[in-house]
Amino acid sequence: MDLHILDHRLRVTSISKNGLVNYTYPLIKLIFLRNRTRCKFFSLTETPENYTVVLDEEGFKELQPSEHLQVESSIWLPLNVVSNGNVSSSLQAVGVTKIAKSVIGPLAQQHVSVFMLSTYQTDFILVREKDLSVVISTLEEEFNIYKEVEGESVPVRSQDVSNGLQKNGKEGKRGYRIPPSNSRSALKSFPIGTNFCIFSIQPTVHPVLIPQNQFCVMSLDPDTLPSIATTLIDVLFYSNSPKEDNQSSPNQDLDCIKFFSFSLIDGYISLVMDTEAQRQFPADLLFTSSSGELWRMVRIGGQPLGFDECGIVAQISQPLADGDISAYYISTFSFDHALVPEEDIVSVTDMLQQQRKEAASS
């Protein structure tokens, strides 16, 4: 398999709900007026807490600093798995599940934080630019790694990027890092051979929320985007879910939550919405897979997760991979979200409950 480091340098930002009015025009420009900006990578996801906007440096220029805009300090690089000349979404397994053991797990073991963005077309694994040398050294045995430079794919090896890039962490084997004392990750050592030991990261097992919404993962021909402009603007900027105010209720796991994601990346559009929002759009313009499956959400995190903790994606994706359960995965500024087929939600719920029981007893 091939791993491509795409030619985008990304920023991860958050716009507060009450500050959206200050960014309506730049967001409309980025979504609908492609000819007026050089932005090639744009993703906007609404959750009950905020709007997460992931975009390249050209798009980031459109967002003016304000008290309503939070910006994660790092530059992020998107990775994409390619197999037999096809992007990863063409494989039989769907979503992050198919790369859990080959990409997500190994990076978690090396204490590399990832930010996931699954789309209708493919899955993007975002890593910090400063961690690139560790990413390549970790994955080069499994993948042929290429870096896209001005449209050309150039082979890259760990020695090609080790100079001038910050290594991930302190002394240790291939980037293993000892977290600071205030890290949320627990640290334990185990013997390797007879004469030395290395460190293994055991991430916090976070609580999960399983709302009742049914979700669709869809796409749209960019040429028809103007045809749904009014509806899309209404859903993104003006609609309010009646369930939003109930997020702190004791029975919140029975509630629906507001979640809508729009991505326009290299000319391809991807949308994730619940069935209530889907009914507002013309049925003949949005398209999904031939099976037209519905998805349920697993929302990860009881409190905002932050960006420094590793293993959060692996914590969910690896058990799903073991169970051969497909999953889309969308990270946001505050929480993570995995979408699994509706028919698998009971087995996923049981799996997660068992995972947490084992964590509590260990």
Side-chain angles (χ1 to χ4, degrees):
M1 290 190 294
D2 297 341
L3 183 74
H4 286 242
I5 306 165
L6 304 184
D7 191 17
H8 301 293
R9 301 178 78 241
L10 306 179
R11 304 305 301 266
V12 178
T13 72
S14 170
I15 298 174
S16 65
K17 285 293 184 79
N18 60 1
L20 181 65
V21 64
N22 300 288
Y23 293 96
T24 301
Y25 173 72
L27 292 176
I28 288 176
K29 180 179 178 181
L30 290 163
I31 295 172
F32 297 105
L33 305 178
R34 287 177 291 160
N35 295 331
R36 297 192 183 183
T37 174
R38 291 179 169 183
C39 184
K40 303 297 183 185
F41 195 113
F42 172 81
S43 177
L44 170 66
T45 302
E46 180 185 4
T47 63
E49 298 77 25
N50 48 41
Y51 292 85
T52 296
V53 184
V54 182
L55 69 180
D56 60 26
E57 291 178 311
E58 288 294 332
F60 184 62
K61 294 176 182 177
E62 303 289 339
L63 304 182
Q64 296 300 314
S66 81
E67 61 181 344
H68 302 290
L69 179 70
Q70 289 183 271
V71 182
E72 205 283 321
S73 60
S74 302
I75 298 292
W76 295 78
L77 304 178
L79 314 179
N80 180 231
V81 175
V82 177
S83 178
N84 297 322
N86 298 314
V87 294
S88 57
S89 59
S90 65
L91 304 178
Q92 185 165 359
V94 173
V96 70
T97 299
K98 60 185 168 287
I99 55 174
K101 296 182 179 180
S102 60
V103 179
I104 303 301
L107 292 182
Q109 291 173 5
Q110 297 294 338
H111 210 267
V112 174
S113 297
V114 301
F115 189 95
M116 281 297 307
L117 179 60
S118 294
T119 69
Y120 180 87
Q121 293 80 17
T122 189
D123 301 284
F124 298 100
I125 310 107
L126 275 59
V127 298
R128 287 184 169 105
E129 187 175 54
K130 69 181 181 65
D131 291 337
L132 185 58
S133 60
V134 178
V135 171
I136 292 174
S137 65
T138 302
L139 302 179
E140 62 184 350
E141 293 182 7
E142 179 78 18
F143 294 94
N144 300 312
I145 302 179
Y146 299 88
K147 182 173 178 61
E148 293 189 0
V149 180
E150 297 181 353
E152 297 292 329
S153 295
V154 180
V156 61
R157 297 168 298 175
S158 57
Q159 56 262 42
D160 297 331
V161 297
S162 59
N163 295 328
L165 286 176
Q166 181 178 340
K167 289 289 186 179
N168 186 25
K170 302 179 182 180
E171 291 184 6
K173 183 180 178 183
R174 289 185 56 179
Y176 275 90
R177 183 167 75 120
I178 302 175
S181 58
N182 62 350
S183 170
R184 291 181 293 170
S185 298
L187 187 67
K188 64 180 181 180
S189 62
F190 58 94
I192 301 295
T194 57
N195 297 321
F196 64 94
C197 67
I198 61 176
F199 291 91
S200 172
I201 304 303
Q202 181 170 343
T204 302
V205 177
H206 293 281
V208 297
L209 165 69
I210 302 179
Q212 292 298 303
N213 311 53
Q214 297 172 312
F215 289 90
C216 309
V217 181
M218 313 187 78
S219 188
L220 173 75
D221 184 342
D223 292 336
T224 64
L225 186 57
S227 302
I228 66 164
T230 301
T231 303
L232 187 56
I233 290 172
D234 183 60
V235 170
L236 279 173
F237 302 124
Y238 297 104
S239 64
N240 292 305
S241 168
K243 298 289 187 179
E244 278 189 50
D245 294 335
N246 297 328
Q247 292 305 303
S248 60
S249 68
N251 297 320
Q252 62 177 354
D253 59 325
L254 302 178
D255 290 337
C256 297
I257 70 168
K258 183 62 180 283
F259 186 92
F260 188 97
S261 184
F262 173 92
S263 298
L264 177 54
I265 300 172
D266 290 330
Y268 292 97
I269 293 177
S270 177
L271 301 106
V272 178
M273 66 186 80
D274 65 16
T275 51
E276 181 179 349
Q278 181 195 17
R279 286 191 287 269
Q280 300 181 51
F281 291 89
D284 58 334
L285 292 183
L286 298 180
F287 52 89
T288 185
S289 63
S290 57
S291 58
E293 65 266 65
L294 294 176
W295 302 79
R296 291 286 299 277
M297 176 183 289
V298 177
R299 176 173 149 112
I300 300 100
Q303 296 179 345
L305 297 172
F307 290 87
D308 293 325
E309 184 180 346
C310 71
I312 299 174
V313 180
Q315 175 187 133
I316 300 296
S317 62
Q318 288 188 340
L320 293 176
D322 292 338
D324 198 26
I325 297 173
S326 298
Y328 290 94
Y329 200 104
I330 298 177
S331 301
T332 63
F333 206 88
S334 299
F335 299 99
D336 281 8
H337 309 79
L339 297 172
V340 301
E342 185 176 39
E343 60 266 24
D344 293 321
I345 190 62
V346 173
S347 58
V348 170
T349 301
D350 292 342
M351 175 198 74
L352 294 174
Q353 288 177 343
Q354 182 62 31
Q355 184 185 61
R356 277 142 188 77
K357 286 180 182 178
E358 293 174 356
S361 61
S362 62

mmCIF file of all heavy atoms in Angstrom, residues 189-192 195-199:
data_model
loop_
_atom_site.group_PDB
_atom_site.id
_atom_site.type_symbol
_atom_site.label_atom_id
_atom_site.label_comp_id
_atom_site.label_asym_id
_atom_site.label_seq_id
_atom_site.Cartn_x
_atom_site.Cartn_y
_atom_site.Cartn_z
ATOM 1 N N SER A 189 5.762 0.613 32.150
ATOM 2 C CA SER A 189 6.880 0.013 31.451
ATOM 3 C C SER A 189 6.716 -1.486 31.413
ATOM 4 O O SER A 189 6.033 -2.074 32.252
ATOM 5 C CB SER A 189 8.194 0.379 32.138
ATOM 6 O OG SER A 189 8.207 -0.136 33.447
ATOM 7 N N PHE A 190 7.305 -2.105 30.380
ATOM 8 C CA PHE A 190 7.247 -3.549 30.285
ATOM 9 C C PHE A 190 8.542 -4.040 29.675
ATOM 10 O O PHE A 190 9.188 -3.331 28.920
ATOM 11 C CB PHE A 190 6.042 -4.005 29.452
ATOM 12 C CG PHE A 190 6.022 -3.461 28.061
ATOM 13 C CD1 PHE A 190 6.555 -4.181 27.010
ATOM 14 C CD2 PHE A 190 5.467 -2.213 27.794
ATOM 15 C CE1 PHE A 190 6.538 -3.688 25.720
ATOM 16 C CE2 PHE A 190 5.445 -1.714 26.513
ATOM 17 C CZ PHE A 190 5.981 -2.443 25.471
ATOM 18 N N PRO A 191 8.955 -5.281 30.001
ATOM 19 C CA PRO A 191 10.246 -5.775 29.538
ATOM 20 C C PRO A 191 10.244 -6.126 28.072
ATOM 21 O O PRO A 191 9.289 -6.665 27.555
ATOM 22 C CB PRO A 191 10.462 -7.022 30.410
ATOM 23 C CG PRO A 191 9.091 -7.475 30.769
ATOM 24 C CD PRO A 191 8.266 -6.218 30.899
ATOM 25 N N ILE A 192 11.323 -5.778 27.383
ATOM 26 C CA ILE A 192 11.570 -6.191 26.013
ATOM 27 C C ILE A 192 12.897 -6.940 26.032
ATOM 28 O O ILE A 192 13.935 -6.351 26.299
ATOM 29 C CB ILE A 192 11.648 -4.985 25.064
ATOM 30 C CG1 ILE A 192 10.345 -4.185 25.119
ATOM 31 C CG2 ILE A 192 11.938 -5.434 23.647
ATOM 32 C CD1 ILE A 192 9.136 -4.925 24.612
ATOM 33 N N ASN A 195 17.266 -7.141 28.849
ATOM 34 C CA ASN A 195 18.189 -6.136 29.377
ATOM 35 C C ASN A 195 17.642 -4.715 29.418
ATOM 36 O O ASN A 195 18.279 -3.846 29.944
ATOM 37 C CB ASN A 195 19.479 -6.142 28.552
ATOM 38 C CG ASN A 195 20.198 -7.470 28.659
ATOM 39 O OD1 ASN A 195 20.227 -8.055 29.725
ATOM 40 N ND2 ASN A 195 20.768 -7.931 27.552
ATOM 41 N N PHE A 196 16.472 -4.477 28.810
ATOM 42 C CA PHE A 196 15.998 -3.099 28.784
ATOM 43 C C PHE A 196 14.483 -3.082 28.665
ATOM 44 O O PHE A 196 13.843 -4.100 28.429
ATOM 45 C CB PHE A 196 16.625 -2.325 27.614
ATOM 46 C CG PHE A 196 16.228 -2.856 26.257
ATOM 47 C CD1 PHE A 196 15.158 -2.315 25.572
ATOM 48 C CD2 PHE A 196 16.932 -3.907 25.673
ATOM 49 C CE1 PHE A 196 14.798 -2.795 24.331
ATOM 50 C CE2 PHE A 196 16.573 -4.386 24.430
ATOM 51 C CZ PHE A 196 15.499 -3.831 23.752
ATOM 52 N N CYS A 197 13.907 -1.903 28.825
ATOM 53 C CA CYS A 197 12.467 -1.764 28.646
ATOM 54 C C CYS A 197 12.183 -0.472 27.904
ATOM 55 O O CYS A 197 13.003 0.435 27.861
ATOM 56 C CB CYS A 197 11.733 -1.764 29.991
ATOM 57 S SG CYS A 197 12.072 -0.323 31.011
ATOM 58 N N ILE A 198 11.018 -0.439 27.262
ATOM 59 C CA ILE A 198 10.538 0.784 26.625
ATOM 60 C C ILE A 198 9.203 1.122 27.242
ATOM 61 O O ILE A 198 8.686 0.392 28.077
ATOM 62 C CB ILE A 198 10.409 0.617 25.092
ATOM 63 C CG1 ILE A 198 9.410 -0.491 24.754
ATOM 64 C CG2 ILE A 198 11.752 0.336 24.469
ATOM 65 C CD1 ILE A 198 9.154 -0.645 23.280
ATOM 66 N N PHE A 199 8.646 2.234 26.839
ATOM 67 C CA PHE A 199 7.425 2.708 27.460
ATOM 68 C C PHE A 199 6.229 2.537 26.538
ATOM 69 O O PHE A 199 6.312 2.776 25.348
ATOM 70 C CB PHE A 199 7.558 4.183 27.853
ATOM 71 C CG PHE A 199 8.523 4.396 28.963
ATOM 72 C CD1 PHE A 199 9.865 4.659 28.708
ATOM 73 C CD2 PHE A 199 8.097 4.291 30.270
ATOM 74 C CE1 PHE A 199 10.749 4.848 29.736
ATOM 75 C CE2 PHE A 199 8.983 4.474 31.318
ATOM 76 C CZ PHE A 199 10.308 4.756 31.053
#
